Each structure stands twice: as C-alpha cells, then as structure tokens.
Amino acid sequence: LLRAPAAEGLQNLVQTAVTRVVQSDAFSTVWTGALRSAHRALATTATSDGAGVVVLTDQGLGIQLGPIIDQVTQRLTDNGVGIAALIPSVNRTVIVSTGEAVTTIRTTYTLAVVAGGWLPFIALGFFVGGILLARRRTVAVVGSGTGLALGAGFLAASISAGAVGVSVAAGQLGLAPSALGVIYQSLVDEMANTAVVLAVLGVFMAILGWVAGRGRTARRVRGMVGGINTSARTALARRGLDTGRFGRWMGRQRVLVRSLVVVLAVACLLVLRPLSIGDVVLVVVLAVLAAWVLELLQQRPGEALSSNPEASATTA
C-alpha cells in the first residue's frame, strides 16, 4: 500500500530538486559546464580515447549512462537529497547509431587540428604573394584590404542575422528563444569577434594601400607628411642630433626599414591571437609610431646640407 505513494513522493522530490537547480541563478554556470562536457565528449569520440560519455563499441556509437547518473546523483546529494545516495551505479551503454560516420569524423577532426594551426600562415602567404606578384602593388594592397573587410564584415552580419533566425526557429519549435539564443551565442561568439577584428584589419590595409598609391590626393597626403618629417629632421639636426652612418644607411634603405616594420606588426598580430579590436588598434598605432621615429632618425643627402648653416656657408 505504501509503495505507490512512496515512489510518487520520491519522484516529486527529485523533480523539485532538479527544477530548483534549473531555475537558480547558478544555472549559467551549470550550462557552461554542460557545454564543456559536450565538447569533451565529441573530442573524445573524434580522438577515440575510449573514455568519456560518448564511446564507440562493437555494436556502434553509444552513450554511457554511468557518468551521467553519477553526476545527477552528486548534484542531488549536494542539494540535500540524501536518499539520492541509494541510487545504484549503472554500467550500461545506449547505442544511438551504427558509428559508420565516426571514421569520417575522426579523419576530419585530425585534418582540422593539423590545418587549423597553419591556415592563418597560408592565408597570409597568399596575401603577400599576390601583392608581390601584382604589377601595381599599392592597388593589390587596397584590393586585399577591401576584400578582407567586405568578407569579414559579411560574415559578422550573417552571424547577427543568424541570431534572429534562431529566435524565429525557437518559436516554431516551441522552445524558449532565450535558451536557444544562449546556445547560439556560445557557438558563434569567438567567430563573430574574429570577423569584426578581420574587418577592422582589412580597413587598415586598404587605407595603407591608398596612402601609398598614385592618386592625386594620396600624393598630397604623402607630400604633407614628408614635409613635416623633413622639418622635424632639420630641427633635430640643428639641436645636435646626428645619427651619422646609421642615419645615412636608414635613408638609403628606407623601403626595407618600412617593410620590416610591417612584417613585425603582422608577427605581433599572429602572436596575440585570439585578437581583439583593441589589440589591432594598439599594434597599428605602435607600428605607425615606430615607423615615424625611424623616419626622423634618417639622414637624407639633400637635408644634411640644409640642416648645418655653417657647412652651407662654407660650401657657398
């Protein structure tokens, strides 16, 4: 007579405990842990460690119930449900598929891990190679920067549009839009951040290529900057700053010096990955300042005479 009421009471007790956990403020932490557990399970399957929740058996791909029940038991015990300690250990695997696609998953996972570290360098190599092979390199830089900005911007816009689509799909499936939105954001946050950073980097590239181009406005900008640098070098020389042979070498190899600054800036961006917009802006600003300081340290043949009034008078 007591079996049915006792079972129903225990069922209500467990349901109440689980509901409180889901409705608590700490659910975001629980949800983050669930995402990490899912990632570890998929990685375990892809790398075939033979451990974890998802395993590959002779019967096919299965899910082990033991680790799941152990976690639920621990969660109930921590929330004061002492009777949960009586739940027995379960050693059972539920087969969910034949596992025929696991080989493909493992191969794809291995290729992704190997290629993932090299893809940024390969893409950078294509950019540099295309610019070096172009007849008008400044136009190639502008085109590369514009293409990078448009492609990354389109990706960022698509991710934002996808959030709206997920909300609509949640309503059609009868799910909570906020819950499905959390899943979507957890999956695409890093990708969206990378897309925005690449768009900003592409804009900087396009601006750099335009300034170095043959356009009338670009030539005026370079002439104005060159005039400011010449005046600054002359003023520093009159105050006794003489870089000597080093400055003359810098003047002759100024194209090489500027190229080295660009290469170092790109290397810094690769080291700082994953990047943020602040990282890109900081590296660009530091590169511009370094290039400007190196410009001031140069000695040009025409400027050395004008910077020394006594030498000019002697020569005259």
Side-chain angles (χ1 to χ4, degrees):
L1 293 177
L2 297 177
R3 180 183 301 173
E8 184 177 356
L10 288 176
Q11 186 175 12
N12 292 334
L13 183 62
V14 171
Q15 184 175 359
T16 300
V18 174
T19 302
R20 287 178 180 175
V21 170
V22 174
Q23 292 178 344
S24 66
D25 295 334
F27 181 68
S28 59
T29 304
V30 176
W31 174 245
T32 302
L35 287 178
R36 291 175 178 169
S37 299
H39 176 268
R40 285 194 297 268
L42 292 175
T44 298
T45 303
T47 54
S48 64
D49 290 346
V53 177
V54 181
V55 294
L56 183 63
T57 66
D58 295 335
Q59 292 78 27
L61 188 66
I63 298 176
Q64 295 190 78
L65 296 182
I68 299 175
I69 294 177
D70 291 342
Q71 290 182 18
V72 171
T73 301
Q74 185 62 42
R75 176 70 60 179
L76 290 172
T77 303
D78 294 341
N79 283 274
V81 185
I83 199 172
L86 300 177
I87 298 176
S89 299
V90 177
N91 185 17
R92 182 182 176 186
T93 301
V94 179
I95 304 300
V96 295
S97 71
T98 60
E100 295 177 353
V102 174
T103 302
T104 304
I105 293 174
R106 289 174 179 170
T107 303
T108 305
Y109 181 85
T110 303
L111 291 175
V113 171
V114 174
W118 289 99
L119 280 178
F121 299 98
I122 295 173
L124 180 61
F126 277 120
F127 271 113
V128 174
I131 293 171
L132 293 177
L133 293 175
R135 293 183 178 180
R136 298 181 60 182
R137 293 175 182 174
T138 55
V139 176
V141 173
V142 173
S144 299
T146 303
L148 184 63
L150 290 177
F154 179 76
L155 176 60
S158 300
I159 292 174
S160 298
V164 179
V166 166
S167 179
V168 174
Q172 294 176 349
L173 295 173
L175 302 174
S178 58
L180 204 57
V182 170
I183 299 175
Y184 181 77
Q185 289 301 126
S186 300
L187 294 175
V188 303
D189 263 352
E190 292 296 329
M191 190 185 305
N193 179 65
T194 302
V196 174
V197 169
L198 289 177
V200 174
L201 189 59
V203 170
F204 280 125
M205 283 182 59
I207 294 175
L208 178 63
W210 174 80
V211 171
R214 302 179 182 178
R216 181 180 301 177
T217 306
R219 290 199 299 268
R220 289 179 180 175
V221 171
R222 291 200 304 272
M224 181 178 64
V225 174
I228 294 174
N229 289 337
T230 300
S231 300
R233 281 193 294 267
T234 302
L236 291 174
R238 288 174 177 172
R239 284 176 167 79
L241 178 63
D242 184 7
T243 54
R245 293 181 179 179
F246 175 73
R248 290 190 290 273
W249 180 87
M250 292 273 290
R252 292 192 300 269
Q253 304 295 333
R254 53 184 175 273
V255 176
L256 174 62
V257 172
R258 295 167 184 170
S259 301
L260 288 177
V261 171
V262 173
V263 170
L264 290 176
V266 173
C268 289
L269 291 175
L270 292 176
V271 170
L272 291 175
R273 292 180 304 165
L275 294 172
S276 64
I277 296 179
D279 293 333
V280 175
V281 174
L282 177 62
V283 170
V284 170
V285 170
L286 291 178
V288 171
L289 290 176
W292 185 55
V293 171
L294 294 175
E295 286 283 329
L296 296 181
L297 294 177
Q298 296 175 14
Q299 280 191 10
R300 307 286 178 84
E303 298 171 2
L305 185 63
S306 62
S307 62
N308 192 341
E310 295 180 2
S312 301
T314 303
T315 304

